[in-house]
Structures are given as C-alpha cells and as structure tokens.
Amino acid sequence: MTEDATIARRTGVSTSPRTAAMWAAVDEVVRARSAELERPLRVIDLGGGTGGLAVPLAVAGHDVTVVDPSPDALASLRRRAAEAQASSRVSAVQGDADTLESLVGRDRPDLVLCHGTLEYVDDPQATLAQIAGVLAPGGILSLVVPQRSAAVIARALAGQFVQALAALDRPDGRWGDADPVPRRFDRAGVVGLIEASGLTITGAHGIRIFSDLVPSALVDSDADRAALLDLERAVAAHPEFAVLADLGTSLHVIASRP
Ligand SMILES: C[S@@+](CC[C@H](N)C(=O)[O-])C[C@H]1O[C@@H](n2cnc3c(N)ncnc32)[C@H](O)[C@@H]1O
C-alpha cells in the first residue's frame, strides 16, 4: 500500500469531498518543504480541534502540536491520534492564539495551520502577526477562513433571501444573530491581513465549492461521491477561475515567511 493510501485509510482526509482539495494543497507544500529541509516538519495547528488535519500529518511522519482552548476537543484529539497509532508525534496543548509565542522555544515551526480558527479570535490581524512572528524563516502558513460570498449564495439558494442580504451587508459577513459562524471574510480582506503580517501569499483556492451546494440526495452512490471528489480537486487546481473559488464555503490561502 502506498503512503497516500495508508494516510487515506487511517484518516479519511484525502477521500472526503469536503477535505480532499484542502489536503491536496497542504500535502503538496508539506512534501516540498520537508524535501528541502530533509527532515519531517515541526507543525503547529492553531485551533486544531479534534485533529482532523493534525493526525494525518502525524501519520505522514511530521511532529504536530495542536493548540486549542477546548479540553474536550483535545481529549478527542488524543483518542484519534491513538487510534491512528500516531500519539508519539502529536502533542495537545491547551491554549489559544495569544499563547503561541510562549509555546514556541528555539525550535520554530516550519508550518502553522490556522484552519477554521481565524473567525473565532478577537483580533485576526494580531493573530496573523503572532503566527508570522513564530514561523521559522521560510516557514509556511496554511490558512482556511469562511467566505462571505459563499454564504450569500448558499442562503439565497435555500430561499433565505433576507439572510442572504444580511450576509452581504453586515461587516462581519454573518447572515443573522443565529449564524453559528462568528465572522466571515472576503478574499481581498484576507489578502490584506496576510500581507500586513509580513507573509507572502503563494497560493489561494476555494474549498467545498460544490460539496456544500449540491443537495445530498443528488450524491447517493459511490460513483457520485467519487465524481464530486474529482470535481472539487480539479476546480481547486485551477486558481485562475477565481469566480469558482469565491463559491467555496472556505478560502484556503498558503503563505510563507520570507
Ligand atoms: C471550527 S473548529 C476548527 C477545527 C479544525 N481546525 C478544523 O479545521 O476542523 C474551531 C476551533 O478553534 C478553536 N478556537 C476557538 N477560539 C480559539 C482561539 N482564540 N485560539 C485558538 N483556537 C480557538 C475551537 O476550540 C475549535 O477547536
């Protein structure tokens, strides 16, 4: 069995239409950086939660520290790491964006993941500055944030036109006070935040472009799921179609520290 197949079997991250395009992009930069440095990477997963990404990276041989304020999430992370036989390469640390600097000693991270977390922090610009500050020279940021444009379209297609208008107009991009997502981002805003932190953007693509828009009743066979997976991967590999990227529930940006 190939290494890819092993990771897929043990974690599912590369075979779910919701995570496959994200994993493909992370896997590519991780392999390239690890080859450059000729060693496994030191990874911090800020807001890594239950380890959906941390554990596959540990299975691939990298050393991952998950920093998350939730003790419940960290307990699930430890269980998931144990099930994947990767506990020795996963550390669970209770903390948040503000504790990053105090966590990092001389061994600066080669990669910081910030997936589905920037919308929760008090000050996204300050968090990105902290990340840029702790990254090793040449280190990589992988950032995933929820997109306003996708929420507007999803609410409109669900017939929730008032909510769609709210998501369009509100500065925080939420469709209402009951929206579980605390903040959404526009592509230009994310680019501005990253550049202001001193990092250089090397790639950006939309994720969950079709898998969140298509009714699940239309994806009821393994062949449908496989075709949807291929479509998500293919669209993500064509960043020139920016209009399609804007339809993604989330925007995935890769940036590096000069
Ligand atoms: C939507 S989950 C994302 C989990 C995971 N990164 C993923 O992509 O599936 C958001 C995570 O951010 C964590 N979180 C909330 N506020 C945070 C903060 N200020 N600093 C770091 N993590 C935070 C939560 O505990 C939760 O695990």
Side-chain angles (χ1 to χ4, degrees):
M1 188 177 285
T2 64
E3 185 192 347
D4 277 347
T6 304
I7 293 169
R9 184 176 57 80
R10 283 164 67 181
T11 67
V13 71
S14 61
T15 53
S16 161
R18 293 163 65 92
T19 55
M22 173 277 295
W23 171 255
V26 169
D27 187 47
E28 185 182 336
V29 291
V30 163
R31 283 173 191 270
R33 190 67 184 147
S34 184
E36 272 170 22
L37 297 174
E38 299 181 332
R39 58 167 172 76
L41 300 188
R42 289 188 293 269
V43 182
I44 289 184
D45 191 352
L46 179 63
T50 59
L53 185 53
V55 170
L57 284 172
V59 169
H62 306 285
D63 295 307
V64 189
T65 300
V66 173
V67 179
D68 199 289
S70 163
D72 289 347
L74 294 176
S76 299
L77 162 72
R78 290 190 190 95
R79 280 195 296 275
R80 183 180 262 182
E83 280 163 16
Q85 297 156 29
S87 298
S88 62
R89 288 188 294 278
V90 176
S91 304
V93 176
Q94 195 173 359
D96 60 24
D98 297 334
T99 53
L100 258 190
E101 265 177 19
S102 60
L103 285 170
V104 175
R106 280 193 336 183
D107 290 337
R108 294 181 165 272
D110 308 301
L111 169 68
V112 174
L113 308 165
C114 183
H115 288 200
T117 303
L118 202 66
E119 59 270 35
Y120 289 95
V121 305
D122 292 336
D123 183 344
Q125 184 69 81
T127 295
L128 288 173
Q130 292 249 14
I131 291 171
V134 300
L135 269 175
I140 299 159
L141 164 67
S142 174
L143 177 71
V144 172
V145 293
Q147 295 203 99
R148 177 207 299 271
S149 48
V152 174
I153 289 168
R155 297 325 292 163
L157 290 182
Q160 300 291 341
F161 307 118
V162 173
Q163 293 181 354
L165 188 58
L168 188 71
D169 281 344
R170 283 175 57 137
D172 60 11
R174 301 176 75 204
W175 47 253
D177 292 338
D179 188 339
V181 175
R183 186 188 289 123
R184 290 194 180 79
F185 297 83
D186 300 311
R187 175 189 283 258
V190 176
V191 168
L193 287 173
I194 293 177
E195 288 179 349
S197 72
L199 299 176
T200 304
I201 294 174
T202 57
H205 63 102
I207 52 179
R208 288 161 56 185
I209 294 174
F210 300 108
S211 50
D212 286 358
L213 279 180
V214 177
S216 52
L218 299 181
V219 192
D220 64 352
S221 70
D222 286 346
D224 288 341
R225 273 183 287 281
L228 178 58
L229 185 70
D230 287 345
L231 182 62
E232 289 279 358
R233 283 200 190 113
V235 171
H238 284 286
E240 66 274 23
F241 298 133
V243 66
L244 289 176
D246 287 348
L247 295 179
T249 300
S250 301
L251 179 68
H252 186 189
V253 184
I254 307 285
S256 65
R257 181 174 164 167

